[in-house]
Amino acid sequence: MRHRLKGRHLNRTSSHRLALFRNLSRALITHGSIQTTVPKAKELRPFVERLITLAKKAALVDDGTPSGKIQSLHYRRQAMALLGPMHGTGVYTKENKLAEENNTVLKKLFNEIGPRFKDRPGGYTRVMKLHYRRLGDAGETAVIEMLKEGEVKVQRRSGTPAAPAALISQ
């Protein structure tokens, strides 16, 4: 029984799952959106949002003072621990060419993405299901992407309002 155990196993060991989320999150930070299966996208969302929250906190506390810089460094080191030993992986373009010589995933996360979501209270990513299945195993596919600056998530329309209760005559 799996009582009180959160998360999907994705048919992998825990170390393999962690490596999967690290690789997918690096790709998402680099490209802004990636296509994967629906369960992977749904499990990736909290992992990536935790990283973006660390970058956002670093952007909020770094005010130039020594204590702000120390706290910002602490958040950066926490993100490095989550991203693993390949945190310095370069940022590549769609043509698999290095975008800039000194640009890394961690720098992009803390210099671009963190300040972009500085005023947002959460919900930095969106998962959209695609209508076609993956070739081979017919797995459901989805696109997970980061929201643009100032973009608001589209909320589901609330159902039709309930009919007023009938008045009971006394």
Side-chain angles (χ1 to χ4, degrees), residues 102-152:
N102 250 347
N103 202 4
T104 63
V105 171
L106 196 66
K107 285 183 183 176
K108 182 173 182 179
L109 178 66
F110 278 83
N111 296 340
E112 295 175 24
I113 298 171
R116 184 168 88 193
F117 293 118
K118 195 186 280 191
D119 300 326
R120 188 171 184 85
Y124 316 111
T125 58
R126 168 191 302 134
V127 175
M128 293 184 299
K129 292 182 182 179
L130 299 176
H131 70 280
Y132 59 89
R133 299 288 187 122
R134 193 167 61 176
L135 188 64
D137 65 352
E140 289 183 322
T141 55
V143 171
I144 181 168
E145 63 184 11
M146 285 190 273
L147 297 178
K148 308 292 186 249
E149 185 156 1
E151 187 176 358
V152 180

Side-chain angles (χ1 to χ4, degrees), residues 5-25:
L5 295 177
K6 69 175 189 173
R8 294 172 179 86
H9 289 270
L10 300 174
N11 209 14
R12 289 165 168 81
T13 62
S14 59
S15 60
H16 190 184
R17 257 191 323 274
L18 180 61
L20 172 78
F21 292 144
R22 286 174 172 172
N23 288 330
L24 287 175
S25 61

Side-chain angles (χ1 to χ4, degrees):
M1 285 183 264
R2 296 190 65 241
H3 294 298
R4 298 176 61 105
L5 295 177
K6 69 175 189 173
R8 294 172 179 86
H9 289 270
L10 300 174
N11 209 14
R12 289 165 168 81
T13 62
S14 59
S15 60
H16 190 184
R17 257 191 323 274
L18 180 61
L20 172 78
F21 292 144
R22 286 174 172 172
N23 288 330
L24 287 175
S25 61
R26 282 188 211 113
L28 182 63
I29 291 168
T30 300
H31 300 293
S33 70
I34 55 172
Q35 181 178 339
T36 183
T37 62
V38 173
K40 286 179 193 171
K42 286 183 177 181
E43 286 299 310
L44 177 65
R45 177 188 275 173
F47 190 86
V48 169
E49 292 202 0
R50 192 172 308 124
L51 288 170
I52 296 173
T53 301
L54 288 171
K56 182 183 89 165
K57 285 180 181 179
L60 288 172
V61 299
D62 193 6
D63 52 359
T65 62
S67 63
K69 288 186 183 240
I70 289 171
Q71 190 63 33
S72 175
L73 179 63
H74 174 67
Y75 291 133
R76 187 176 291 259
R77 285 180 175 164
Q78 283 183 324
M80 285 169 50
L82 279 174
L83 280 173
M86 296 288 292
H87 65 270
T89 306
V91 176
Y92 289 86
T93 61
K94 298 274 185 185
E95 294 81 31
N96 284 335
K97 295 184 179 167
L98 204 57
E100 291 179 28
E101 188 61 35
N102 250 347
N103 202 4
T104 63
V105 171
L106 196 66
K107 285 183 183 176
K108 182 173 182 179
L109 178 66
F110 278 83
N111 296 340
E112 295 175 24
I113 298 171
R116 184 168 88 193
F117 293 118
K118 195 186 280 191
D119 300 326
R120 188 171 184 85
Y124 316 111
T125 58
R126 168 191 302 134
V127 175
M128 293 184 299
K129 292 182 182 179
L130 299 176
H131 70 280
Y132 59 89
R133 299 288 187 122
R134 193 167 61 176
L135 188 64
D137 65 352
E140 289 183 322
T141 55
V143 171
I144 181 168
E145 63 184 11
M146 285 190 273
L147 297 178
K148 308 292 186 249
E149 185 156 1
E151 187 176 358
V152 180
K153 261 190 178 177
V154 178
Q155 298 293 324
R156 287 187 184 170
R157 279 191 256 161
S158 60
T160 58
L167 296 174
I168 301 174
S169 60
Q170 295 189 28

